[in-house]
């Protein structure tokens, strides 16, 4: 049962990240059980797990809804995300093994291929692998867990950002600088570049706010 609940949690989380389930949407246990051909019990357990992660909100006697983040909360979460990523980058520049550097370069190349193919959804997944390679390279398990947890909560919004005009090419160019700093062992530069890469402010914040209605139309 535990393994099935974990699988369902990941499947529902993916639906939220891809916009199939949208912010504020009610999550009907019966409908989800029918969709995945299971009883309501593992669905309920999966939703409780997602609630503990902040991905959904469990409302007493009213069921669960997909978490709907307001502009101020989004800014604050991206601000913390940028600092977590900066810390990962700083440590990765000092601690990455040669094998982990090769994994990072391969992830960077995969992003380039998705960019050249003009595939934002494919780039989104390759981008996730790129950032995961940096987390792993930090060799700080607590930091890795915190970064992954917040990354999951922000997945729909990070994915949406990649659909803003020119963001894909800009994202890849920013990755390029990060990779070079890590390979050079320049922790401060890697941290600064990752902080700027993740932060949403100014025009990027305006673009994200303007794009938010797309999450509601993605279903």
């Amino acid at each position: 049962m535990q393994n099935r609940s974990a699988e369902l949690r990941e499947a529902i989380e993916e639906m939220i990240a891809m916009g199939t389930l949208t912010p504020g949407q009610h999550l009907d246990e019966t409908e989800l059980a029918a969709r995945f051909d299971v009883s309501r019990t593992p669905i309920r357990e999966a939703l409780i797990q997602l609630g503990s992660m902040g991905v959904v909100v469990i409302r007493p006697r009213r069921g669960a809804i997909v978490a709907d983040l307001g502009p101020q909360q989004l800014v604050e979460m991206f601000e913390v995300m940028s600092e977590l990523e900066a810390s990962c980058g700083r440590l990765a520049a000092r601690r990455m093994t040669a094998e982990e550097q090769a994994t990072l370069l391969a992830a960077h190349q995969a992003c380039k291929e998705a960019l050249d193919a003009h595939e934002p959804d494919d780039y989104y997944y390759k981008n996730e692998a790129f950032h995961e390679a940096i987390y792993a390279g930090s060799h700080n398990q607590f930091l890795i867990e915190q970064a992954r947890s917040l990354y999951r909560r922000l997945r729909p919004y990070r994915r949406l950002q990649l659909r803003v005009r020119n963001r894909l090419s800009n994202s890849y160019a920013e990755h390029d600088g990060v990779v070079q700093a890590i390979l050079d062992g320049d922790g401060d530069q890697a941290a600064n570049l990752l902080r700027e890469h993740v932060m949403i402010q100014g025009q990027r914040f305006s673009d994200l706010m303007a794009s938010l209605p797309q999450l509601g139309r993605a279903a």
Side-chain angles (χ1 to χ4, degrees):
M1 178 69 74
Q2 195 65 35
N3 286 343
R4 186 59 177 142
S5 294
E7 290 172 4
L8 290 167
R9 183 201 72 220
E10 291 177 6
I12 295 169
E13 186 182 358
E14 190 67 16
M15 291 168 70
I16 292 170
M18 296 303 290
T20 306
L21 298 171
T22 59
Q25 182 174 339
H26 175 66
L27 298 170
D28 187 284
E29 290 181 7
T30 302
E31 288 180 8
L32 289 169
R35 179 191 289 262
F36 293 107
D37 193 25
V38 296
S39 69
R40 289 174 59 182
T41 301
I43 292 291
R44 188 176 299 117
E45 178 60 33
L47 292 178
I48 290 171
Q49 291 175 26
L50 289 169
S52 70
M53 292 159 50
V55 177
V56 307
V57 177
I58 308 292
R59 306 171 303 170
R61 295 181 297 282
R62 289 186 296 162
I65 61 170
V66 178
D68 189 4
L69 306 179
Q72 182 62 31
Q73 192 176 7
L74 265 181
V75 168
E76 290 173 356
M77 290 171 73
F78 269 103
E79 189 172 55
V80 173
M81 187 80 250
S82 71
E83 293 300 332
L84 290 175
E85 297 241 3
S87 294
C88 287
R90 179 180 290 106
L91 293 175
R94 298 209 313 255
R95 299 176 176 176
M96 258 192 177
T97 65
E99 184 178 351
E100 288 168 335
Q101 289 179 347
T103 298
L104 179 65
L105 285 168
H108 187 42
Q109 178 59 33
C111 286
K112 177 69 162 61
E113 291 166 3
L115 170 65
D116 291 344
H118 305 288
E119 290 285 353
D121 286 339
D122 189 38
Y123 186 94
Y124 164 78
Y125 287 112
K126 300 303 190 293
N127 177 64
E128 196 169 71
F130 175 84
H131 285 271
E132 177 63 32
I134 295 173
Y135 300 166
S138 73
H139 292 256
N140 182 315
Q141 196 56 44
F142 180 78
L143 178 61
I144 292 168
E145 290 169 3
Q146 297 304 305
R148 283 175 179 163
S149 176
L150 188 51
Y151 193 107
R152 282 198 301 266
R153 289 193 66 184
L154 288 171
R155 283 180 84 204
Y157 306 94
R158 293 185 75 149
R159 176 173 176 262
L160 190 60
Q161 278 194 98
L162 294 175
R163 294 185 174 276
V164 172
R165 189 165 65 91
N166 294 331
R167 182 59 201 151
L168 237 59
S169 56
N170 290 341
S171 172
Y172 178 78
E174 291 163 12
H175 284 185
D176 215 40
V178 170
V179 169
Q180 195 56 57
I182 289 175
L183 295 181
D184 289 345
D186 190 339
D188 288 341
Q189 177 71 346
N192 290 336
L193 291 175
L194 275 164
R195 185 180 295 109
E196 292 170 8
H197 176 63
V198 176
M199 270 296 288
I200 54 164
Q201 52 192 346
Q203 187 59 48
R204 285 183 61 189
F205 175 71
S206 299
D207 288 341
L208 180 58
M209 290 301 103
S211 300
L212 283 179
Q214 294 178 25
L215 281 179
R217 293 197 298 269

